[in-house]
Amino acid sequence: MRLIDFDDFSNNTFNVVTELTYKKDDDEFRPDIILLINGMPLVFIEVKKPNNQDGILAEHKRIQTLFQNKKFRKFVNITQLMVFSNNMEYDDSSPLPIEGAFYATSSYQKPSFNYFREEQQFDLNTLLSTINDVNETAVLKDNNLLSIKNSPEFSNNKSPETPTNRICTSLFQPDHLAFILQYSIAYVKERTGLQKHIMRYPQMFATKAIEQKLEEGVNKGIIWHTQGSGKTALAYYNVKYLANYFQKKNVITKFYFIVGRLDLLIQASKEFKSRGLVVHNISSREAFAKDIKQPAARLNIEWLL
């Protein structure tokens, strides 16, 4: 059974609703904005007033408390992507995410809020459609917000250049959303249990850059990473993405992760296995030279260290 058509993403049904009630027994919560694909609430957006430094932090704590409530497990499980914004620019001097628009995936413990900085320049005139006055009035009336229609704040917030609208434009374009749902989420076995991780935004752009270079006929290259920026995780995500990329071209892939120290082999092997990859260790150059000449005979994704 296929719940989402990723081959033709436009073949799915998309709806946006406000304050859909998530309820179990006497407990309930209502996210501000919910995106449904084929009727499934996969994404929600929480928006806060700007210039409220405690707003994002309070929302982070509230979501953490909600998601730890076992009555909401079904809602947590089906939620794939969340956006939290107070419609302000990032405060890079702050060690905590207190201002800006952030994204995360669901977690039974504490969701990690991620920054997002778009690298592409979009033609917004082509990408975004206009809304006429009749439809705008209908939406505001349906949400009991008709009183703000002529306010300066509402007029300013309709601009596509606001932080909230920028992150929505980036993440929720159909091809971007399809990529996130299909490739950017990983389940990781930790000591505390199964964790759900999502790509950081540089990892998303790096993955798409690799695809672009392959399409241009470039078959080798280097990805430059700083320490702590998620090199091992990016390697995992790219195995998943590139295996599918080449399979569509009838090419069965085999991936090698080459390390220079034994401790790195142990660490990388552990990280890949915790994400569900099948890992085989190669102990010598001779064994490596022999293995690389063997065809990749299986479709399951493997790493050879």
Side-chain angles (χ1 to χ4, degrees):
M1 181 180 293
R2 183 168 62 173
L3 299 178
I4 297 178
D5 187 349
F6 285 111
D7 295 328
D8 181 5
F9 202 57
S10 64
N11 197 35
N12 300 290
T13 300
F14 302 89
N15 297 100
V16 180
V17 299
T18 56
E19 296 189 338
L20 179 67
T21 302
Y22 291 34
K23 184 174 183 179
K24 172 73 176 200
D25 298 330
D26 294 329
D27 292 7
E28 65 177 55
F29 72 99
R30 295 188 302 274
D32 291 330
I33 304 167
I34 303 92
L35 279 62
L36 301 100
I37 301 179
N38 299 335
M40 297 179 291
L42 303 183
V43 182
F44 71 72
I45 306 166
E46 289 286 349
V47 287
K48 299 301 172 186
K49 289 185 176 295
N51 300 311
N52 179 4
Q53 290 193 351
D54 294 331
I56 292 294
L57 293 178
E59 186 60 31
H60 199 177
K61 186 176 181 180
R62 186 180 77 92
I63 289 296
Q64 181 181 347
T65 301
L66 285 172
F67 282 8
Q68 287 175 348
N69 186 340
K70 292 185 178 181
K71 291 184 178 182
F72 294 141
R73 283 292 166 89
K74 289 185 177 180
F75 303 120
V76 177
N77 291 343
I78 201 171
T79 299
Q80 306 302 310
L81 178 62
M82 306 177 292
V83 170
F84 304 88
S85 177
N86 65 354
N87 212 25
M88 296 181 68
E89 301 295 343
Y90 294 126
D91 181 5
D92 292 329
S93 64
S94 173
L96 298 175
I98 60 175
E99 294 179 0
F102 305 90
Y103 73 100
T105 191
S106 56
S107 170
Y108 290 157
Q109 283 81 36
K110 186 177 182 180
S112 297
F113 281 23
N114 298 277
Y115 291 77
F116 191 93
R117 291 181 169 92
E118 180 60 66
E119 291 187 351
Q120 291 182 265
Q121 293 292 326
F122 300 123
D123 182 359
L124 297 179
N125 292 325
T126 301
L127 187 64
L128 302 178
S129 61
T130 57
I131 181 171
N132 60 45
D133 186 72
V134 173
N135 288 337
E136 181 179 280
T137 299
V139 171
L140 289 172
K141 187 176 181 179
D142 186 60
N143 287 275
N144 295 317
L145 290 170
L146 190 59
S147 60
I148 71 169
K149 180 176 173 63
N150 297 315
S151 69
E153 182 181 17
F154 178 67
S155 179
N156 292 334
N157 287 340
K158 288 193 293 183
S159 167
E161 299 299 336
T162 63
T164 302
N165 290 337
R166 287 204 309 266
I167 195 171
C168 289
T169 299
S170 294
L171 295 181
F172 302 139
Q173 290 183 52
D175 57 333
H176 292 189
L177 183 57
F179 172 84
I180 291 170
L181 294 176
Q182 193 170 14
Y183 298 111
S184 73
I185 294 171
Y187 291 91
V188 186
K189 291 182 180 179
E190 303 278 7
R191 292 179 181 177
T192 56
L194 197 65
Q195 301 290 327
K196 195 173 180 181
H197 293 188
I198 192 168
M199 273 186 174
R200 302 174 188 175
Y201 75 91
Q203 294 168 338
M204 296 182 189
F205 295 139
T207 301
K208 298 301 288 184
I210 293 172
E211 179 189 32
Q212 180 180 346
K213 290 300 181 183
L214 289 171
E215 288 294 309
E216 293 172 0
V218 178
N219 58 11
K220 59 182 177 181
I222 295 173
I223 300 173
W224 188 269
H225 261 287
T226 57
Q227 185 173 359
S229 58
K231 298 181 290 294
T232 305
L234 176 63
Y236 162 77
Y237 287 121
N238 274 270
V239 166
K240 184 179 178 181
Y241 186 75
L242 293 176
N244 195 3
Y245 171 85
F246 282 108
Q247 187 172 330
K248 292 177 181 178
K249 300 179 182 295
N250 296 318
V251 176
I252 300 174
T253 52
K254 186 163 58 174
F255 297 87
Y256 294 88
F257 192 84
I258 301 173
V259 296
R261 301 199 315 266
L262 184 60
D263 61 319
L264 292 178
L265 183 146
I266 296 172
Q267 176 188 349
S269 178
K270 180 181 177 182
E271 289 293 327
F272 295 138
K273 287 179 179 178
S274 70
R275 288 167 169 79
L277 292 184
V278 177
V279 177
H280 299 288
N281 293 343
I282 294 180
S283 58
S284 67
R285 292 184 179 182
E286 292 75 16
F288 174 68
K290 181 180 179 180
D291 189 272
I292 202 171
K293 294 177 182 178
Q294 300 297 319
R298 288 178 289 178
L299 283 174
N300 61 302
I301 302 170
E302 300 184 359
W303 273 88
L304 296 104
L305 283 81

